[in-house]
Amino acid sequence: MKRDRWRDARVAGEYEARRFKTPLARWKHRRDEVLVSELLARSGPHASVLALPCGTGRLFPALAR
């Protein structure tokens, strides 16, 4: 099945390189990082964040900062 293809580690590992290879896609990704950072800044220094393990974790670095 096509959906099973995404369980292959090689496919998952190459996904972001393909998904964000255009300038517009990279801009959208950066916009998402900025939005996450701004929302976290509003939540205060003692807020907790729950990062659910879905997708490739592309926003995890912004959450970790």
Side-chain angles (χ1 to χ4, degrees):
M1 280 188 140
K2 185 176 181 178
R3 72 173 184 221
D4 291 333
R5 182 176 180 273
W6 295 103
R7 295 180 187 185
D8 184 325
R10 288 184 320 235
V11 172
E14 297 169 356
Y15 173 76
E16 285 192 24
R18 287 192 321 269
R19 170 72 174 89
F20 299 109
K21 72 179 180 179
T22 67
L24 179 59
R26 286 190 302 271
W27 176 82
K28 288 178 179 180
H29 174 71
R30 179 66 187 134
R31 180 195 60 190
D32 291 347
E33 287 183 322
V34 168
L35 176 62
V36 166
S37 296
E38 288 175 356
L39 290 171
L40 288 173
R42 288 186 206 171
S43 65
H46 301 292
S48 296
V49 174
L50 173 63
L52 298 174
C54 59
T56 61
R58 70 182 177 93
L59 296 177
F60 183 75
L63 290 172
R65 284 191 295 274

